[in-house]
Amino acid sequence: MTARPICTRIAGTGSALPSRAVSNAELAQKLAQRGVETSDEWIIARTGIRQRYLAEPELSTAELGMRAARRALEAAGYDAGMIDLIVVATSTPDQVFPSTACLIQARLGAGGAAAFDVQAVCSGFVYGVTVADALIRTGNHRRALVIGAEMFSRILDWNDRTTCVLFGDGAGAVVLEAADKPGILASRLHADGSQASILCTAGRISEGAVVGDPFLRMDGQAVFKLAVNVLDASAREVLGDAGMTTAQIDWLIPHQANVRIMAATARKLGVKEDQVIITVDRHGNTSAASVPLALDEAVRDGRVQRGQVVLLQGVGGGFTWGSVLLRY
Ligand code: ACO
């Protein structure tokens, strides 16, 4: 008898946000005190963002990630001790090392589970899901937590209005488990390191001091153009792998950077706007946390139903991008 191939499915989702939402008007007022000019109108018109959650100083990436993970475990009906793999996507870890995944593992009490971070900026969650899916399909792991957790407010230059109005803090998580049918139908990852400079935080720590620029810098227009093109190509790639067409997509959950990027991607793919899950208006861009935050919201409010086809898409610094096509 030949063994049936192992597949991977999402058993539960969860998310967590800091307690304080900051509206565009409040942010604009705060920035004005530093002589930085912006407005609610400009931010909404260019990005669709109305507010973002900003973490209080004592909140850590690991704590927020752990809260999202707990909710995903509850939704799946699993104890932390049943998890044998933890993958955390983050570009804003609490420490240089150990990984945020190890810090979350300790908080959850999931000792013994393999734990590591992936660093693919806003594509981090689709990278993490793809890696965990592959490890589960080897048969060596059975249940994984994949967490996107970010504190981008910590790397923003509040004197740079072209970036500081765009980002927020948050975390989202899924429990992935081995299953006998998918689940994850196809996934593809890509990067183009030659574009590193269009979106980066170039600084590092050396000999006890920050060397170089510790803040996020972005060429917004270059990112915009690249993002729309790669998201379209990447969607078609995974659909081709799965032998499916855009008409079979029930829900598109792209990285939540900007409503204009999402609308342009949906238009290119021929997906209707009401099939696109949008949270950027309330969360801002939460980098690797944005896709699992949006997925969790849509699962909990009943839009994403079991059996439906969902396309998750990440794009961000690196330049990195990728897609995961799944049957929820
Ligand atoms: N408030 C008011 N005015 C502003 C602000 C602000 N916060 N920021 C920039 N401006 C001004 C500029 O100074 C410029 O003024 P000027 O014409 O007098 O020179 C004007 O607004 C237009 O600036 P642009 O940069 O041309 O504005 P654009 O329409 O390109 O919008 C934005 C900027 C929103 C960043 C856009 O390029 C974009 O969405 N890019 C995609 C990048 C993105 O979303 N990145 C998120 C991270 S990347 C990722 O997650 C994939």
Side-chain angles (χ1 to χ4, degrees):
M1 196 175 86
T2 48
R4 251 198 279 178
I6 302 168
C7 302
T8 307
R9 71 185 279 272
I10 293 179
T13 66
S15 60
L17 290 160
S19 53
R20 222 172 85 73
V22 177
S23 70
N24 290 345
E26 184 184 345
L27 185 62
Q29 207 177 19
K30 285 236 169 74
L31 293 175
Q33 288 163 8
R34 312 170 156 255
V36 175
E37 211 184 299
T38 189
S39 67
D40 183 37
E41 295 71 33
W42 191 95
I43 301 170
I44 290 178
R46 304 286 175 134
T47 72
I49 297 167
R50 292 174 186 275
Q51 63 167 42
R52 75 285 296 137
Y53 290 82
L54 298 179
E56 51 274 25
E58 48 302 344
L59 185 59
S60 66
T61 303
E63 174 63 25
L64 204 56
M66 186 275 288
R67 291 179 194 170
R70 279 231 170 106
R71 286 174 194 147
L73 286 167
E74 269 166 34
Y78 291 142
D79 292 330
M82 297 163 80
I83 294 296
D84 55 22
L85 172 66
I86 301 176
V87 180
V88 175
T90 189
S91 301
T92 46
D94 296 319
Q95 302 179 192
V96 173
F97 67 82
S99 67
T100 309
C102 285
L103 302 179
I104 292 177
Q105 189 226 49
R107 280 167 195 255
L108 285 172
F116 60 91
D117 289 0
V118 296
Q119 217 283 37
V121 200
C122 305
S123 310
F125 186 73
V126 296
Y127 266 67
V129 167
T130 302
V131 168
D133 170 43
L135 285 172
I136 288 172
R137 283 190 288 103
T138 65
N140 288 347
H141 297 271
R142 288 201 60 79
R143 288 189 199 95
L145 266 169
V146 182
I147 304 163
E150 299 280 20
M151 291 282 175
F152 261 52
S153 63
R154 308 257 159 95
I155 54 167
L156 296 177
D157 176 357
W158 297 102
N159 293 313
D160 175 8
R161 68 176 181 174
T162 68
T163 54
C164 73
V165 301
L166 304 175
F167 295 88
D169 303 326
V174 295
V175 175
L176 291 183
E177 67 177 358
D180 51 14
K181 57 179 193 211
I184 294 178
L185 301 164
S187 69
R188 289 280 194 130
L189 305 176
H190 294 284
D192 178 0
S194 72
Q195 301 291 336
S197 64
I198 65 171
L199 180 54
C200 61
T201 298
R204 63 193 158 83
I205 297 174
S206 180
E207 298 181 16
V210 174
V211 178
D213 186 349
F215 296 119
L216 180 152
R217 303 292 176 202
M218 179 177 70
D219 175 345
Q221 287 183 7
V223 170
F224 196 111
K225 278 185 211 133
L226 256 178
V228 177
N229 286 333
V230 299
L231 288 173
D232 179 63
S234 166
R236 293 180 194 281
E237 200 177 19
V238 286
L239 285 164
D241 288 348
M244 294 170 78
T245 67
T246 53
Q248 288 169 280
I249 298 172
D250 291 301
W251 296 105
L252 175 61
I253 309 187
H255 169 50
Q256 306 283 314
N258 183 316
V259 284
R260 288 158 60 212
I261 295 179
M262 290 188 268
T265 306
R267 227 177 4 255
K268 271 188 118 176
L269 283 174
V271 171
K272 292 201 289 292
E273 278 197 32
D274 62 5
Q275 290 174 278
V276 185
I277 306 294
I278 292 179
T279 53
V280 71
D281 53 331
R282 285 154 294 127
H283 299 167
N285 180 347
T286 57
S287 190
S290 91
V291 169
L293 266 163
L295 173 64
D296 184 49
E297 178 173 295
V299 165
R300 283 173 195 264
D301 70 20
R303 276 177 290 174
V304 171
Q305 303 270 337
R306 286 288 176 198
Q308 288 186 326
V309 174
V310 181
L311 178 59
L312 310 179
Q313 295 205 282
V315 58
F319 207 73
T320 56
W321 66 96
S323 296
V324 172
L325 185 70
L326 60 93
R327 193 175 290 283
Y328 180 68

